[in-house]
């Protein structure tokens, strides 16, 4: 009986050791410095550990849906503040004036370095990132893995967002090189140098799609824990799908949110130079009268 008990104890100890080693290995992989993953622009993304060391030098923006646990000092921007209706299409990017008002209310100055996070694998954070890029705010980064990565690292959180003093933010005119129109989408039908990238899931894709588009769901760029895959993995993923840097790539989804996530991957992590978010996306295209493939 004593030998059996000792044997069970030994098995339990070995099992615990294996699990601990596995967890440790996963943690090392997910917290690898962004400079070591081969990204084209590693300055566009930070790990939780990297952010912890720069909190005093950046403005952190919380773009979670409900909040609840905030990174210390983070200011809150609501999702409604970053979307508007344009010509009957909801979910479009806000105007320059609306953007200035949003940034001013959040207490952000033109020369601030901004780090954005959400609780949705940086899906919505990428939308704010894109809007900031469109209106000329260059110093903006995403937190890899979002608030989940911060909490998993057991870093301090706060129950309330910061209440900053308002600023007088001045935006640049919209950078049209980051925005695709429905006219450009139509032009792609007969232009081999242009590619429509559908970032939606299989169900949406099978229900109807833009002619000539290729599908690569936005989640394919992520590890299981919501962090971004390394550059070599991403390069193979996109090139195998025919999404190459020699084309003008136009990502879309239903309302231009998932598309900005893929735009971030292509431009910042892989260095593609010609990527334009189709802001109207399927909500605009479906009612346009243009051809739909099935």
């Amino acid at each position: 009986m004593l030998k059996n008990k000792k044997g069970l104890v030994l098995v339990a100890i070995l099992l615990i050791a294996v699990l601990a080693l596995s967890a440790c290995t996963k943690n090392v992989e997910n917290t690898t410095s962004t400079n070591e993953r081969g990204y084209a622009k590693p300055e566009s993304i930070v790990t939780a550990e990297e952010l912890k060391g720069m909190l005093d030098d950046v403005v952190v923006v919380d773009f979670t849906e409900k909040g609840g646990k905030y990174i210390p000092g983070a200011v809150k921007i609501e999702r409604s503040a970053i979307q508007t209706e344009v010509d009957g299409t909801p979910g479009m990017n806000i105007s320059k004036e609306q953007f200035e008002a949003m940034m001013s209310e959040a207490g952000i100055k033109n020369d601030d370095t901004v780090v954005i996070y959400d609780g949705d694998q940086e899906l919505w954070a990428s939308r704010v990132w894109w809007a900031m890029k469109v209106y000329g705010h260059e110093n903006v980064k995403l937190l890899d893995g979002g608030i989940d990565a911060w909490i998993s690292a057991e870093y301090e959180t706060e129950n309330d967002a910061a209440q900053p003093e308002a600023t007088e933010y001045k935006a640049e005119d919209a950078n049209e090189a980051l925005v695709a129109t429905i006219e450009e989408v139509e032009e792609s039908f007969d232009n081999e140098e242009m590619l429509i990238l559908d970032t939606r899931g299989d169900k949406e894709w099978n229900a109807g799609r833009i002619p000539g588009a290729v599908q690569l769901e936005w989640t394919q760029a992520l590890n299981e824990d919501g962090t971004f895959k390394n550059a070599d993995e991403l390069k193979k993923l996109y090139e195998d799908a025919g999404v190459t840097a020699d084309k003008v790539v136009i990502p879309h989804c239903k309302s231009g949110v998932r598309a900005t996530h893929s735009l971030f991957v292509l431009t910042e992590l892989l260095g593609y130079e010609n990527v334009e978010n189709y802001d109207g996306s399927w909500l605009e295209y479906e009612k346009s009268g243009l051809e739909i493939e099935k």
Side-chain angles (χ1 to χ4, degrees):
M1 180 67 73
L2 183 59
K3 287 184 178 180
N4 288 340
K5 286 183 178 180
K6 285 183 177 179
L8 289 172
V9 170
L10 181 59
V11 170
I13 290 172
L14 289 172
L15 181 59
I16 291 170
V18 169
L19 291 173
L21 179 60
S22 174
C24 182
T25 302
K26 183 177 181 181
N27 186 58
V28 169
E29 178 184 5
N30 292 338
T31 58
T32 302
S33 167
T34 53
N35 289 314
E36 299 173 5
R37 300 188 208 167
Y39 296 149
K41 301 176 184 177
E43 67 275 11
S44 296
I45 185 170
V46 295
T47 64
E49 182 180 4
E50 290 167 336
L51 176 57
K52 188 175 186 295
M54 62 173 68
L55 282 181
D56 292 337
D57 302 313
V58 300
V59 175
V60 180
V61 170
D62 179 291
F63 206 61
T64 58
E65 186 172 14
K66 296 180 180 178
K69 289 187 176 181
Y70 296 91
I71 292 175
V75 298
K76 179 74 174 176
I77 293 181
E78 300 292 346
R79 292 184 181 179
S80 58
I82 203 68
Q83 302 177 85
T84 191
E85 184 172 309
V86 177
D87 296 330
T89 300
M92 299 284 281
N93 195 21
I94 54 180
S95 69
K96 176 182 177 180
E97 293 73 23
Q98 289 171 314
F99 180 80
E100 289 176 331
M102 179 191 76
M103 296 289 275
S104 297
E105 185 177 342
I108 299 172
K109 300 187 289 292
N110 284 75
D111 60 353
D112 281 336
T113 297
V114 178
V115 179
I116 313 168
Y117 70 87
D118 65 20
D120 300 287
Q121 301 177 323
E122 297 306 86
L123 172 61
W124 283 90
S126 66
R127 177 71 181 195
V128 187
W129 170 88
W130 172 74
M132 289 188 183
K133 288 291 186 178
V134 167
Y135 288 116
H137 197 99
E138 289 302 319
N139 297 323
V140 55
K141 312 170 187 289
L142 295 186
L143 172 59
D144 194 23
I147 189 64
D148 292 338
W150 184 269
I151 293 172
S152 293
E154 299 184 350
Y155 294 145
E156 179 186 358
T157 59
E158 296 179 345
N159 293 328
D160 299 299
Q163 300 298 318
E165 240 182 83
T167 59
E168 294 184 4
Y169 190 95
K170 297 298 180 185
E172 296 179 8
D173 291 336
N175 181 359
E176 300 300 337
L178 292 173
V179 187
T181 64
I182 194 168
E183 289 77 20
E184 290 173 281
V185 171
E186 186 174 13
E187 181 186 346
S188 74
F189 297 169
D190 301 307
N191 191 334
E192 294 183 355
E193 296 181 355
M194 302 174 73
L195 177 72
I196 305 299
L197 171 60
D198 193 323
T199 67
R200 301 175 301 164
D202 291 343
K203 186 176 181 180
E204 294 166 291
W205 165 263
N206 292 330
R209 51 191 175 267
I210 295 173
V214 300
Q215 183 208 19
L216 188 60
E217 190 173 4
W218 68 280
T219 54
Q220 295 300 303
L222 299 170
N223 296 308
E224 288 184 8
D225 64 351
T227 58
F228 289 99
K229 294 178 178 177
N230 66 44
D232 288 340
E233 293 172 307
L234 293 170
K235 187 174 186 291
K236 184 178 189 314
L237 178 71
Y238 282 92
E239 289 186 354
D240 284 355
V243 185
T244 53
D246 59 330
K247 292 181 171 64
V248 176
V249 182
I250 302 177
H252 86 88
C253 51
K254 182 178 180 179
S255 60
V257 177
R258 289 170 283 182
T260 58
H261 191 279
S262 297
L263 184 146
F264 176 86
V265 172
L266 291 171
T267 59
E268 308 307 292
L269 306 188
L270 291 179
Y272 284 37
E273 295 183 356
N274 298 306
V275 188
E276 305 174 9
N277 178 35
Y278 175 29
D279 194 20
S281 279
W282 194 252
L283 287 176
E284 178 182 56
Y285 188 86
E286 187 177 30
K287 63 182 182 182
S288 69
L290 293 174
E291 181 185 355
I292 293 176
E293 283 186 348
K294 292 189 178 180

